[in-house]
Amino acid sequence: MGVILDGKKLADNIIEELRTASLKLTKKPKLAVIIVGDNPASQIYVRNKQKTAQYIGFDSLVISLENNVSEDSILEHIYILNEDKDINAILLQLPINEKFNKKRIIEAIEPIKDVDGFTSYNFGRLALGYEPFSYPCTPKGIIRLLEEYNISLEGKKAIVIGRSNIVGKPMALMLQQKNATVICANSYTKNLKELSYMADIVISAVGKPKFIDSSFIKENAVIIDVGINRVNDKLTGDVDFESVKDKASFITPVPKGVGPMTIAMLMENTLNLYNIQSRLIL
Ligand code: GUN
């Protein structure tokens, strides 16, 4: 059986370190989260983010808006948060209803308060290999988890299945930055099994329960499961854990794998933005 990549344990350690660091600050870092609509999963995520922020000793503000809110009103909230000197980090919880112009809303966030790294300024810098103000939380958490277990990326073949702006796209860029050779796959990819079988590292972010079984992976591959699928009220990843666990050298569980790392990185990004902004006003 492969080694379990314990995201929960690492995330808990990072959160404790952030808590220690935060207690020494005279002013508290403050994270603002905007949630639009009543997606139950999003509501749970936002509550977790808020709880974790409070545990660390950050201030947090949640702005809950109904789906019938106007786009201008969402933008207005963002403009106010951009101007508010007490707010260090702004997060727009995704997904939001299709009727909204997501691009326009994300771009309204000041890059220096963009805690997800989703604005074109930060994402563009990431793509160019320059330091952004924030790296997207999920890929950053995955890189950190691989580093924790001394899994090197240099010269490795990695396949990223899924090309979302939240996970797949920034993940592929960050792996390339670490000198991995990256295959970017999506739902149109032909011969996915063959491609995946070539990879030393398989990262799945497709949202299909038990999509990846042992026929997709070679012996000793590293498997990172970003899927969070609710099946009969139970969380299930994209990976059929039982099928691949003996073939994989390392594997993330669901839950307690990538998910907790995402939250820990969000908190780290919040403190990082706070530090950057404090330096600017000195
Ligand atoms: N929805 C799922 N993951 C994320 C994330 O990392 N950031 C935001 N803003 N929304 C998400």
Side-chain angles (χ1 to χ4, degrees), residues 45 49 91-95 116 118 137-138 166 262:
Y45 299 148
K49 289 169 185 174
L91 179 142
L92 173 74
Q93 183 62 33
L94 298 172
D116 269 320
F118 290 165
C137 304
T138 302
I166 298 179
T262 297

Side-chain angles (χ1 to χ4, degrees), residues 246-262:
D246 291 327
K247 220 173 167 186
S249 56
F250 293 90
I251 181 167
T252 59
V254 176
K256 302 193 174 182
V258 173
M261 287 303 295
T262 297

